Amino acid sequence: MKNSKFAYSMMAVVLGTALMSGSALAATTTDSAGAKIDSSMKKVDNYMGDSAITAKVKSALVDDKAIKSSDISVTTNSGVVTLSGFVGSQAEAEQAVAAATKVEGVKSVSDKLHTKDSKDQSVKGYAGDTATTASVKAKLLADDIVPSRNVKVETTAGVVQLSGSVKDQAQSDRAESVAKTVDGVKSVKNDLKVAP
């Protein structure tokens, strides 16, 4: 009888210890899962916040009659807005930066805007730039190194601007060198971001 009471007591101790360990493990797993969910929510929140900021900045540029926003690209990363593309004058570039800075949630504005020649482009010049852009895009598409779907190409008066993102500096350099080989390209402004 003493042996069975001792055996039952030992089983109770072992079972109690196992239950305590299990609940401690469950608490740790829950805390770790909760932290992962919080981290994921912060990432989604940042993405959604950046998307909202980009939309608000684009809207502000469209609303400002002094800015020809169709030639301006807007991207946002952690509240930092990057404006790229072409504007008609330095004053227009400054106005675009000022408009973007006023948008709620914008921490800072990176100005990568380029000024077009002050004289109006002729139809022939526009057609030449369009053909140059198409040629650069075709060469990038045929290249195995550059992820062409991530690279935006704009040409003004023979000056090619590359924007978008690539995985490494080698892809950025390759995109620039490919663009320089196209007939009609006077120079290349490489505004590609390296985003691994």
Side-chain angles (χ1 to χ4, degrees), residues 15-50:
L15 189 57
T17 305
L19 287 173
M20 299 272 291
S21 298
S23 64
L25 178 63
T28 303
T29 304
T30 305
D31 290 346
S32 138
K36 287 180 182 176
I37 290 170
D38 287 347
S39 173
S40 296
M41 290 304 290
K42 284 179 184 173
K43 287 178 185 174
V44 169
D45 197 31
N46 282 344
Y47 177 76
M48 295 302 286
D50 285 345

Side-chain angles (χ1 to χ4, degrees), residues 105-170:
V106 173
K107 294 178 182 173
S108 66
V109 177
S110 173
D111 178 5
K112 296 200 174 203
L113 295 167
H114 301 288
T115 306
K116 293 180 184 178
D117 291 339
S118 57
K119 61 182 182 197
D120 291 329
Q121 284 187 303
S122 66
V123 173
K124 182 180 177 186
Y126 179 77
D129 285 345
T130 303
T132 300
T133 297
S135 295
V136 171
K137 287 181 178 180
K139 284 212 173 194
L140 290 174
L141 187 61
D143 191 89
D144 292 336
I145 297 172
V146 180
S148 58
R149 68 183 182 283
N150 298 339
V151 178
K152 184 176 179 184
V153 180
E154 295 179 53
T155 308
T156 302
V159 177
V160 173
Q161 180 190 13
L162 302 175
S163 59
S165 63
V166 292
K167 291 182 182 174
D168 54 40
Q169 190 60 44

Side-chain angles (χ1 to χ4, degrees), residues 50-130:
D50 285 345
S51 296
I53 290 170
T54 297
K56 288 177 187 176
V57 169
K58 286 180 179 180
S59 177
L61 294 176
V62 168
D63 290 346
D64 193 321
K65 303 297 180 209
I67 302 169
K68 184 180 176 191
S69 62
S70 63
D71 291 339
I72 299 175
S73 297
V74 180
T75 57
T76 308
N77 188 3
S78 299
V80 177
V81 172
T82 301
L83 302 178
S84 59
F86 294 95
V87 291
S89 66
Q90 186 58 37
E92 188 177 344
E94 291 169 7
Q95 181 70 20
V97 170
T101 304
K102 292 177 187 173
V103 172
E104 182 182 347
V106 173
K107 294 178 182 173
S108 66
V109 177
S110 173
D111 178 5
K112 296 200 174 203
L113 295 167
H114 301 288
T115 306
K116 293 180 184 178
D117 291 339
S118 57
K119 61 182 182 197
D120 291 329
Q121 284 187 303
S122 66
V123 173
K124 182 180 177 186
Y126 179 77
D129 285 345
T130 303

